[in-house]
């Protein structure tokens, strides 16, 4: 049996988990909550630095209660990127220290791919088109010839950031996405918003500006409703085109914005209409979590992949298609 300790801390959620082939042994987390405004990278990193000992200790204690000891840990996995530089550097430093003191290998994990793999595991979907929608990222991906290819993505900000920015403008606290969802559920009138899809790519920043303007002339609920309808229709359009081009009949949702019921509903309808299956992991696996890092670490470790310390430098702009996927298609 392989046991992996995984550390996540690319943005506001610091999380540590121990995972084996059989199950998630224990996960512990601590979330940075900005007093006002959005996530300040240096403050979030400071939060992670203060909480790391606590969170890792909790995860290890949880594993001990289940009969595991420090000696059972085979490797330490960590989010190498993408993410906020100060945050990933803080967590990477802790991961290196743990790997040295436990005398185990280190595994640098791509955060986006961890979202995909935990979703595949949780939902039992084999070869889906993935819509990954989080604070900073919005991508449509699919696996092909040893890599997760990016078929379409945002040209500016992620959909989560677009929602959070507008929520901040309304004076709502971070994270804004769920609050916009709540307001949108009471909207009835569609207000015109720019629908920006270019080929397979998307743009959301003009949408936020447009929503800010619209608030002077329309009800807040209607603006939130229109913002969601427009942004989610854009995402659904690109996700559907990816499925059509690749002849894939499974769709997997990943990332924190995936918790949105209206987005889920639109994707479900699109999949239903084309005879495809739609998969959504539990909310705790949609948002950033240590379990997904430990789990991808486990897949990588079992296919012989580790990261020497000198190659463990963090990659704030780490793209999923930079990673050679060695744990799928073992027969090849
Ligand atoms: P992540 O970066 O994957 O941790 O996701 C965080 C992002 O998800 C933030 O931008 C949140 O505002 C957004 N989010 C969380 N829940 C919802 C929701 N129900 N609807 C829309 N956005 C959400
Ligand atoms: Mg994420």
């Amino acid at each position: 049996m392989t046991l992996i300790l995984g550390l996540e801390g690319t943005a506001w959620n610091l999380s540590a988990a121990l995972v084996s082939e059989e199950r998630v042994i224990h996960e512990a987390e601590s979330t940075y909550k900005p007093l006002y405004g959005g996530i300040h990278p240096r403050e979030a990193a400071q939060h992670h630095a203060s909480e790391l000992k606590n969170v890792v200790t909790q995860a290890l204690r949880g594993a001990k209660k289940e009969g595991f000891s420090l000696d059972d840990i085979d490797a330490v996995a960590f989010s190498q990127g993408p993410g906020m530089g100060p945050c990933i550097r803080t967590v990477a430093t802790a991961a290196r220290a743990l790997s040295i003191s436990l005398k185990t290998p280190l595994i640098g994990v791509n955060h986006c791919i961890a979202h995909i793999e935990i979703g595949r595991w949780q939902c039992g979907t084999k070869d889906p088109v993935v819509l990954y929608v989080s604070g900073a990222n919005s991508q449509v991906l699919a696996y092909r010839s040893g890599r997760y290819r990016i078929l379409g993505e945002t040209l500016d900000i992620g959909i989560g950031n677009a929602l959070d920015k507008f929520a901040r403008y309304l004076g709502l606290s971070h994270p804004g996405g769920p609050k916009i969802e709540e307001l949108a559920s009471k909207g009835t009138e569609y207000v015109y918003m720019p629908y920006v899809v270019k080929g397979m790519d998307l743009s959301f920043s003009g949408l936020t500006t447009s929503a800010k303007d619209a608030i002077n002339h329309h009800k807040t609920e209607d603006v939130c409703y229109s913002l969601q309808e427009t942004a989610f229709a854009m995402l659904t359009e690109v996700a559907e085109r990816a499925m059509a081009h690749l002849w894939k009949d499974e769709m997997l949702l990943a990332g924190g914005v995936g918790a949105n019921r209206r987005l889920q509903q639109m994707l479900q309808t699109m999949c239903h209409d084309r005879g495809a299956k739609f998969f959504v992991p539990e909310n705790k696996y949609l948002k950033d979590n240590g379990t997904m890092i430990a789990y991808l670490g486990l897949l990588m470790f079992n296919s012989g992949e580790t990261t020497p310390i000198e190659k463990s430098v963090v990659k704030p702009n780490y793209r999923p298609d930079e990673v050679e996927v060695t744990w799928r298609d073992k027969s090849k």
Side-chain angles (χ1 to χ4, degrees):
M1 190 204 62
T2 311
L3 183 67
I4 308 288
L5 169 63
L7 300 183
E8 159 59 29
T10 51
W12 65 320
N13 199 30
L14 175 70
S15 175
L18 283 126
V19 168
S20 77
E21 276 100 344
E22 281 102 46
R23 66 194 171 96
V24 181
I25 316 281
H26 199 88
E27 185 186 74
E29 64 175 13
S30 169
T31 308
Y32 154 78
K33 294 193 183 74
L35 290 175
Y36 57 90
I39 305 173
H40 190 300
R42 203 179 54 233
E43 280 178 15
Q46 190 56 50
H47 162 270
H48 295 355
S50 326
E51 289 291 314
L52 256 161
K53 184 172 166 222
N54 215 348
V55 167
V56 172
T57 308
Q58 270 184 51
L60 294 175
R61 276 208 195 114
K64 197 174 167 196
K65 277 195 196 137
E66 304 272 331
F68 294 94
S69 75
L70 286 180
D71 291 341
D72 296 326
I73 297 174
D74 291 291
V76 178
F78 71 102
S79 265
Q80 198 167 2
M84 294 180 172
C87 300
I88 41 180
R89 265 194 294 280
T90 302
V91 178
T93 306
R96 286 183 204 111
L98 279 162
S99 123
I100 291 167
S101 66
L102 294 170
K103 300 190 176 61
T104 58
L106 191 61
I107 305 174
V109 159
N110 179 289
H111 175 96
C112 310
I113 298 184
H115 272 291
I116 300 174
E117 294 299 356
I118 196 81
R120 283 211 307 137
W121 166 73
Q122 249 248 312
C123 302
T125 157
K126 290 210 167 47
D127 190 22
V129 165
V130 182
L131 177 62
Y132 170 45
V133 276
S134 69
N137 300 292
S138 301
Q139 291 174 333
V140 176
L141 309 109
Y143 177 79
R144 206 168 167 94
S145 309
R147 277 177 207 262
Y148 282 104
R149 315 279 166 174
I150 303 168
L151 305 163
E153 63 188 317
T154 181
L155 296 167
D156 41 49
I157 55 175
I159 173 65
N161 284 354
L163 297 170
D164 292 342
K165 274 184 188 203
F166 180 57
R168 254 191 334 264
Y169 186 75
L170 296 178
L172 303 169
S173 63
H174 189 86
K179 288 150 201 153
I180 300 281
E181 176 174 20
E182 175 62 29
L183 287 163
S185 70
K186 299 185 189 110
T188 48
E189 297 234 348
Y190 183 79
V191 178
Y192 172 80
M193 298 264 155
Y195 185 101
V196 189
V197 173
K198 290 177 184 272
M200 288 293 282
D201 293 330
L202 309 129
S203 157
F204 295 109
S205 66
L207 205 51
T208 308
T209 309
S210 177
K212 286 180 185 172
D213 287 345
I215 209 76
N216 297 320
H217 313 287
H218 301 276
K219 284 202 307 201
T220 306
E221 289 83 356
D222 288 341
V223 177
C224 291
Y225 164 73
S226 309
L227 174 59
Q228 278 202 172
E229 291 301 300
T230 311
F232 297 165
M234 287 160 53
L235 289 162
T236 306
E237 179 193 324
V238 174
E240 176 167 31
R241 197 151 47 242
M243 293 179 89
H245 281 192
L246 294 173
W247 287 74
K248 302 238 189 208
D249 57 4
E250 292 180 334
M251 161 110 245
L252 173 69
L253 188 54
V257 183
N260 189 289
R261 308 293 301 180
R262 179 60 183 140
L263 176 60
Q264 291 180 9
Q265 198 182 35
M266 277 197 199
L267 293 164
Q268 174 70 65
T269 305
M270 177 272 282
C271 286
H272 178 266
D273 286 355
R274 50 185 302 110
K277 285 198 190 124
F278 177 53
F279 299 91
V280 190
E282 283 172 59
N283 275 359
K284 67 174 173 180
Y285 294 124
L286 280 169
K287 66 170 201 158
D288 294 346
N289 62 89
T291 297
M292 68 181 192
I293 304 304
Y295 177 67
L296 176 52
L298 182 96
L299 296 177
M300 291 172 72
F301 183 80
N302 284 347
S303 69
E305 297 234 20
T306 59
T307 310
I309 294 243
E310 61 277 14
K311 293 208 169 141
S312 68
V313 60
V314 297
K315 303 176 181 179
N317 300 314
Y318 201 6
R319 290 172 66 78
D321 53 5
E322 287 176 54
V323 179
E324 196 187 340
V325 175
T326 52
W327 55 92
R328 282 182 65 153
D329 291 344
K330 288 261 158 54
S331 57
K332 287 186 189 165

